[in-house]
Every structure is written in C-alpha cells, then in structure tokens.
Amino acid sequence: MNLVPEFDPLFFSEAALRMRGYRQQILASNMANIDTPGYKSRDVLFTQALREQLEGTAYSNALPLSSTSDRHYRIGGSVPGAPALLYRMPMQPSLDGNTVDVETERSHFADNAIRTEAAMTMLNSVIASRRMALTGNQ
Amino acid sequence: MSLMRSFQVASTALSSQSLRMNALASNLANAESVAGPDGQPYRPKHVVFRPAPILGEVAAGVEVASVHEDMRAGPKVYKPGHPSADANGYIQMPNVNPVEVMVDMVSASRSYQMNVEVMNTSKQLMLKMLDLGRG
C-alpha cells in the first residue's frame, strides 16, 4: 500500500474521476450550445489536467496570489483548481461562428463516459482490496 | 458535483430547443394566416440562442436570447374574391416557407434528442457512482 498521495491508487482514481466529471460537464455544455451563434467549442487536455490535479499545480496558469502570512490559504497547494480550457479547432467552420461539431462532441462524450466507468471500476477494486486487507476477507 | 451540472446544462438545452420547436410549430400552423389581430399577415418567429453561464462553473447552459420576427414580406397571391384582397385582387401571404420550417424542425429535434442522450448518460454514471464501494 502506497501512502505517498501522488502514487496512492485511491487518490489517483479520485482525481481521475473528478476530472472525468469536469470534462463531462464541458462536453455537455458544448452539446447544449450546438445551435448558439458564435459559440466556440471547448475542451480540456485530459493528460495535462490530470497531472495538474495530482501535482496540485492547477492554478499555475492563473495570476499568483501573494500571501503575507504562512497561515493564509495557499493557491496551488492542496486546493484543487479548475484546469485550463482550450478551444477546439473546427473541421467545418459555419457561417454563424459556431464551432460545435456534432460527431466530434458525441464521440468525445461517449469516450469520456466509458472512461469514467473504467475509473469507477478501478476505484471499486481499490476499495475492495483495502477492505479485504482490513477484514481478512471475513 | 460536476455530473449534476451536466444535468442542469442539458435541461437548459431541452427547454430552449422545445421553445424553438414551439415557434416552428406556430410558423407552420400560421402558414396561411393572411390577417392577424392587427390586420397584417402572420410574421414567422425565429428563436436566437445564447450561452447561459452557470454561477461558479465554467460550463454554460443555453438560453433564448430573443424571439425575432421575420419582417420580410411574403408572396402576393391573386385571389379576387378574398375579403383581404387589395384593389387589384391580390392578397399578402405570410412569409412562411414550409420547407425551411421542416428543415429547422429536424435540426431542433436532433439537438433535443442529443441532449436527452447527455442526460441519460449522466444519469447512468451517477447511479454507478452511488454504488461505489458496495462490491
């Protein structure tokens, strides 16, 4: 069992699930705005977002917050921040400035849902193995 | 919780798309309405969307920015016996093109279906989330 947070499977699965939920929300808003003139499709770079979550550097792109005391909250420490949102390059730009592509969004959405389930399966097996270690499978 | 937000986002899309569907149904129903309460031919309505930010979240839903009336004049049809006919026997028809409306309706119904799918997927994921650690 690993107690270093970055390599702890429980911590990792939790961060992965949180990021999957976050991405699900972004993709849902792209799909909701499929007919909104001028709306730009957005997404996160999942690998980078997850790494930032694990390393606690999600605020690295934001403005630095200076503190005058050690007892102030630290931004970039244990506070989980929102990862940077990027814009998707449109394959077929439309006249009204909307860059949401139905097929792309749907495939990303389905992919994200499957991977969320995978992360949940992982988390379940971590919980099951820890429970077994605690109870001796009684 | 992020998955809950997906619900909220998809529901804003569903209500906006159904408003658009209502406007389209009204356009189609009034394709032959030569004179409304003001004596003018019916003006087709078009719904314009805009993103609706959700407080404290990066995700945005969608809302109806405006319902815009098409002010262009429709075709003139020769019907001398009609009560609204002018001196030359022409009546002003509403500017409703049924083909345009039907195409718009297919688009609205597809968007609606897609957002229902988003809701269903989010629901399944949330139900699975509730079962975490029960295995």
Side-chain angles (χ1 to χ4, degrees), chain A residues 40-76:
Chain A
K40 307 292 178 209
S41 179
R42 314 194 73 179
D43 204 348
V44 286
L45 265 180
F46 192 82
T47 325
Q48 193 191 331
L50 184 58
R51 189 179 300 134
E52 283 177 356
Q53 280 291 306
L54 292 173
E55 292 170 355
T57 56
Y59 276 110
S60 56
N61 293 337
L63 284 176
L65 186 70
S66 53
S67 60
T68 50
S69 162
D70 285 343
R71 293 167 67 196
H72 287 164
Y73 281 120
R74 274 186 207 291
I75 299 299

Side-chain angles (χ1 to χ4, degrees), chain B residues 76-92:
Chain B
K76 283 194 165 181
V77 176
Y78 184 62
K79 273 191 185 170
H82 200 279
S84 314
D86 63 8
N88 298 323
Y90 283 95
I91 53 168
Q92 183 76 50

Side-chain angles (χ1 to χ4, degrees), chain A residues 9-137:
Chain A
L10 205 59
F11 182 83
F12 182 84
S13 304
E14 189 256 323
L17 261 186
R18 185 141 36 89
M19 276 298 99
R20 286 287 168 208
Y22 182 77
R23 186 164 183 235
Q24 193 87 351
Q25 179 189 328
I26 303 295
L27 293 175
S29 50
N30 287 346
M31 284 157 104
N33 282 290
I34 190 119
D35 296 311
T36 309
Y39 181 85
K40 307 292 178 209
S41 179
R42 314 194 73 179
D43 204 348
V44 286
L45 265 180
F46 192 82
T47 325
Q48 193 191 331
L50 184 58
R51 189 179 300 134
E52 283 177 356
Q53 280 291 306
L54 292 173
E55 292 170 355
T57 56
Y59 276 110
S60 56
N61 293 337
L63 284 176
L65 186 70
S66 53
S67 60
T68 50
S69 162
D70 285 343
R71 293 167 67 196
H72 287 164
Y73 281 120
R74 274 186 207 291
I75 299 299
S78 58
V79 186
L85 281 183
L86 305 173
Y87 291 96
R88 208 191 294 292
M89 289 303 290
M91 285 174 64
Q92 301 179 71
S94 62
L95 271 180
D96 65 356
N98 186 302
T99 64
V100 182
D101 182 57
V102 192
E103 285 74 28
T104 315
E105 298 302 332
R106 279 180 83 127
S107 66
H108 281 295
F109 189 79
D111 175 86
N112 196 59
I114 299 281
R115 285 169 199 267
T116 309
E117 291 209 25
M120 279 193 267
T121 310
M122 283 273 284
L123 188 52
N124 253 334
S125 64
V126 174
I127 293 173
S129 63
R130 294 219 168 156
R131 180 179 291 143
M132 193 190 279
L134 285 171
T135 62
N137 209 9

